[in-house]
Amino acid sequence: MKEFFDKTFCLEVWGEYACFTRPEMKVERVSYDVITPSAARAIFEAIFWKPAVCWKVRKIEVLSPIKWINLRRNEVSVVANDSSSGIYIEEKRQQRAGLFLKDVHYRIHADLVFIPPKKRRETQNPLPDIIYNKY
């Protein structure tokens, strides 16, 4: 059987704005100072994910100074669906404030860890069963 070894990868990520929402702020969106480890792991998983591997974030480097921006935005309090006759936005609009990060730039280091078959969790198939049924 072939041996598998964990391997470390490094990504640089950046953007104009970011929000890593603090859960204790219920109504207004307020970001943590830096990217959270779970958000960093999600970036790696978006690039490469398989049931046989998991990502372990080892280090997050902040490459740009932390800058904040206050924004006000309009949100609609309802969701449109097929059975609705539309939304009259003037009645359902709510103005919210948020404290977001501006001009973020991070270097993220993570290990790609092989999971042996006996220790893997069973994954849910996103496709409906009808696709697999024979006619």
Side-chain angles (χ1 to χ4, degrees):
M1 186 171 160
K2 189 174 182 180
E3 286 288 320
F4 291 94
F5 299 97
D6 300 346
K7 185 165 172 67
T8 302
F9 290 86
C10 177
L11 290 176
E12 270 194 43
V13 295
W14 61 91
E16 288 183 57
Y17 302 99
C19 183
F20 307 105
T21 307
R22 298 176 65 111
E24 65 270 19
M25 308 296 187
K26 300 286 185 199
V27 177
E28 307 301 332
R29 298 231 190 276
V30 177
S31 181
Y32 283 108
D33 294 3
V34 296
I35 188 172
T36 60
S38 62
R41 184 182 66 245
I43 292 171
F44 281 96
E45 288 174 349
I47 295 168
F48 180 74
W49 179 87
K50 297 280 184 196
V53 298
C54 70
W55 290 99
K56 302 281 186 193
V57 175
R58 296 296 175 206
K59 183 165 64 167
I60 297 172
E61 297 175 66
V62 179
L63 302 178
S64 293
I66 297 170
K67 294 189 273 183
W68 298 93
I69 184 168
N70 280 305
L71 289 177
R72 285 202 153 312
R73 64 200 186 287
N74 293 322
E75 290 183 358
V76 179
S77 62
V78 296
V79 178
N81 57 39
D82 293 338
S83 63
S84 70
S85 61
I87 299 172
Y88 186 62
I89 293 175
E90 298 303 321
E91 294 176 354
K92 304 296 182 184
R93 180 176 30 210
Q94 300 173 345
Q95 194 168 65
R96 306 271 177 155
L99 184 60
F100 302 97
L101 295 169
K102 182 168 175 39
D103 299 324
V104 298
H105 191 180
Y106 305 109
R107 185 176 299 128
I108 307 166
H109 303 263
D111 293 339
L112 180 66
V113 179
F114 175 74
I115 303 169
K118 292 180 181 177
K119 292 188 177 181
R120 293 181 197 159
R121 289 183 293 169
E122 192 171 318
T123 59
Q124 296 292 325
N125 192 330
L127 299 174
D129 290 336
I130 194 164
I131 292 174
Y132 299 105
N133 293 339
K134 293 184 181 180
Y135 295 97

